[in-house]
Amino acid sequence: MAGIVSYGAYIPIYRLSRAILGQVWGGGGKGEKAIANWDEDSITMAVEAGTDCLKGIERKSVDALYFATTTPPFKEKQSASIIAAALDLREDIIAADFTNSLRSGTIALRAALDAVKAGSSKKVLVIVADCRVPAPNSALEPLFGDGAAAFLIGQDGLAAEIEGSYYLTSEFIDIWRLEYDMLPRTWEERFTLDEGYEPHMKKAVAALLKAQNTAAKDFSKAAFYAPNARAHEAMARTLRLDAKTQVQNPLFDSVGNTGAAFALMTLVGALEEAKAGDRILVASYGDGADAHIVRVAEGISKVKDRRGIKKNLQFKLMLENYGKYVTFRNLIKFEETPMTRPRTSLTAMWRDRNWVYRCHGHKCQQCGKTQFPPQKRCMYCQADDKFLQEVPLSDRKGVLFTYSMDERTAVVDPPNVLAAVNLDGGVRIFSQMTDRDVNNIKVGMPMELTFRRIHDALGVHNYFWKCRPVRE
């Protein structure tokens, strides 16, 4: 039987308090939502979730990568291929993007299960990430949050089995973006809930329970999508679920509505608390609805060391003000000067792709030392390139050797912190530091690497590796 071998998740470190939105626009609001840093997008968050999912798993064993999102950074250019490179997967895999629907994650999950059952792939990595930008002072602005989830689908060592699924496709329109829209459009809530969300979700879940001869009481947890907390509570009552014991926390007050990632991030949260034999009801919505019965298997005990939802929630930095938020989301047009105009070269990116995307360095077979970036000759013993072997570095931890803090450099989130980090194995890497509290940077602190967007230039998103304090 095909099922879930491993899982992972990612939540950005920044949070925006809804009280700040109330100060700006008026009104109240409780809780907070997760905000992607200025150098994050759906691709970088997918790499984080994929890294979490593949912890302790041989990456060469992955045969396919399916990436789902409603916010692909490129409209024509596959995102999955960039994610596969950053995860250092094999080149001879199948990579595909599933886009334009809030339900793209669970649809990608079905495609992965079918591929494994058919035998065309032994292991398929499914990642879903969303980074939607709501219009300022709209009903969606307090709701939308950012995040990602990942699942490795296979047949051996299952952490969970998919006992049954039901898919319902509908042409119903409730939230959408046109070709050149940056911000989503939506319709009156009475219509979108009464004619869209509620009847489609109810129909999909009811059909699944009938086909599998089960009832709501048979599930230990339910992880399902809803546009907001009120609709989530109403759907729990409609499905006859016990809100206190059966409904998995949808994280509206700590993360927000993460779009295509919502249902599967909630499933990760349920799996973190599950034990073998538990049954989880999963349901997603968008262009129809789908529902699934997930039975937790004995292998769940082997994937308990992920950051997942719980550990990611432990690490957060609060945005000080609304101005920083609109800067991160590029909602304000700032003055441009020649000194701040970024550059890029697709030729150089392709030539150096193994260290730009895969974070490969060189290990000298003559003196044994590792160096980054890759060199033509060993920088220590001057051995020529026939002695230099490529080695992956992205998973290595390290410590902060030294750093500088520049208040005058034109960066999105000043000050510009540049760091030298000594990674395990004796290799030193120089990079920008991200996700940092500038009041708590200390030489010797544990560090790790993270894949981020460096800048946009000539219409190209440029990605590279940065360092950040370890989230442990």
Side-chain angles (χ1 to χ4, degrees):
M1 174 179 284
I4 297 169
V5 176
S6 178
Y7 59 80
Y10 177 71
I11 299 170
I13 198 167
Y14 277 111
R15 306 287 192 278
L16 178 64
S17 166
R18 294 189 176 105
I20 287 182
L21 294 175
Q23 292 171 3
V24 175
W25 303 117
K30 65 175 184 177
E32 58 204 33
K33 64 175 191 171
I35 299 297
N37 204 339
W38 69 270
D39 56 1
E40 294 185 292
D41 60 21
S42 296
I43 285 179
T44 66
M45 293 195 299
V47 173
E48 293 274 5
T51 300
D52 193 36
C53 179
L54 294 177
K55 185 177 181 180
I57 294 172
E58 176 55 56
R59 298 191 180 193
K60 294 187 184 303
S61 67
V62 177
D63 300 312
L65 168 63
Y66 298 163
F67 173 57
T69 185
T70 66
T71 53
F74 291 93
K75 286 193 174 178
E76 181 172 343
K77 164 74 187 89
Q78 193 182 61
S79 297
S81 61
I82 296 175
I83 298 166
L87 290 173
D88 207 18
L89 303 183
R90 299 189 331 256
E91 287 185 336
D92 63 336
I93 66 167
I94 299 294
D97 288 353
F98 291 70
T99 63
N100 297 337
S101 173
L102 290 175
R103 214 154 47 88
S104 55
T106 46
I107 292 172
L109 199 67
R110 172 62 178 267
L113 289 164
D114 287 348
V116 171
K117 288 177 182 174
S120 60
S121 298
K122 290 184 178 178
K123 289 181 181 176
V124 181
L125 181 61
V126 177
I127 310 179
V128 53
D130 241 351
C131 186
R132 298 185 295 171
V133 181
N137 198 24
S138 68
L140 300 179
E141 189 176 42
L143 291 174
F144 281 10
D146 305 321
F151 295 85
L152 184 64
I153 305 301
Q155 289 184 309
D156 300 324
L158 296 183
E161 302 168 356
I162 313 298
E163 287 190 331
S165 296
Y166 181 85
Y167 282 79
L168 173 68
T169 297
S170 171
E171 69 277 25
F172 187 80
I173 301 175
D174 53 1
I175 188 165
W176 71 98
R177 280 181 290 135
L178 300 180
E179 175 69 13
Y180 299 105
D181 287 344
M182 174 183 176
L183 309 173
R185 305 167 187 259
T186 189
W187 206 258
E188 186 182 359
E189 188 181 73
R190 284 183 302 174
F191 170 73
T192 60
L193 290 180
D194 293 350
E195 300 295 329
Y197 172 72
E198 291 175 3
H200 286 84
M201 286 284 280
K202 186 177 178 180
K203 186 175 182 179
V205 172
L208 174 69
L209 298 186
K210 182 178 180 181
Q212 298 295 319
N213 194 28
T214 55
K217 63 180 178 56
D218 298 324
F219 298 95
S220 56
K221 287 289 183 182
F224 58 91
Y225 175 88
N228 54 51
R230 182 164 45 85
H232 195 268
E233 293 170 359
M235 183 53 62
R237 291 192 296 270
T238 299
L239 299 179
R240 300 182 182 279
L241 296 166
D242 185 330
K244 294 182 178 179
T245 61
Q246 287 183 290
V247 178
Q248 182 62 31
N249 184 353
L251 305 177
F252 281 113
D253 289 340
S254 55
V255 178
N257 183 335
T258 53
F262 186 106
L264 294 183
M265 287 181 70
T266 311
L267 174 57
V268 171
L271 289 172
E272 287 176 332
E273 302 169 356
K275 63 182 185 302
D278 285 351
R279 269 179 164 176
I280 302 171
L281 175 64
V282 181
S284 187
Y285 170 75
D287 303 288
D290 52 60
H292 316 265
I293 297 175
V294 177
R295 179 182 284 277
V296 181
E298 296 293 337
I300 192 71
S301 60
K302 298 179 181 177
V303 286
K304 291 293 188 183
D305 58 347
R306 305 299 191 256
R307 286 181 181 168
I309 300 297
K310 280 186 177 179
K311 288 185 179 177
N312 271 303
L313 283 174
Q314 295 172 7
F315 296 90
K316 67 177 181 180
L317 295 171
M318 300 302 297
L319 287 180
E320 302 95 338
N321 52 62
Y322 189 71
K324 200 165 185 175
Y325 165 70
V326 297
T327 303
F328 279 14
R329 294 285 74 81
N330 200 24
L331 291 168
I332 291 180
K333 184 69 173 177
F334 289 99
E335 178 186 15
E336 292 187 23
T337 70
M339 295 298 292
T340 61
R341 187 166 296 164
R343 301 175 180 176
T344 192
S345 167
L346 292 180
T347 308
M349 287 168 62
W350 174 249
R351 180 187 63 218
D352 299 326
R353 59 191 181 279
N354 278 7
W355 66 274
V356 170
Y357 291 115
R358 294 179 181 270
C359 199
H360 283 188
H362 269 160
K363 183 175 183 179
C364 178
Q365 302 302 301
Q366 187 162 283
C367 71
K369 294 185 176 178
T370 304
Q371 43 226 288
F372 183 88
Q375 305 292 318
K376 294 294 184 183
R377 285 181 173 273
C378 175
M379 59 189 288
Y380 296 101
C381 70
Q382 285 73 57
D384 63 31
D385 56 1
K386 69 181 179 183
F387 293 100
L388 301 178
Q389 178 187 15
E390 281 196 22
V391 291
L393 301 175
S394 63
D395 280 348
R396 296 194 187 188
K397 300 290 193 298
V399 295
L400 180 61
F401 175 71
T402 188
Y403 67 98
S404 66
M405 199 177 296
D406 189 342
E407 298 279 359
R408 300 224 174 239
T409 301
V411 293
V412 177
D413 184 25
N416 187 31
V417 182
L418 297 175
V421 176
N422 289 340
L423 297 177
D424 296 343
V427 59
R428 179 172 295 171
I429 185 169
F430 297 87
S431 76
Q432 219 173 15
M433 188 187 297
T434 190
D435 290 0
R436 74 284 186 274
D437 178 353
V438 294
N439 297 313
N440 289 294
I441 299 176
K442 297 177 181 177
V443 170
M445 66 191 301
M447 303 293 289
E448 62 187 0
L449 302 181
T450 177
F451 189 69
R452 294 300 170 98
R453 188 191 287 191
I454 301 299
H455 59 246
D456 290 353
L458 300 176
V460 177
H461 302 314
N462 288 247
Y463 297 90
F464 194 58
W465 294 86
K466 295 184 179 182
C467 64
R468 72 174 175 204
V470 168
R471 297 186 185 183
E472 294 291 352

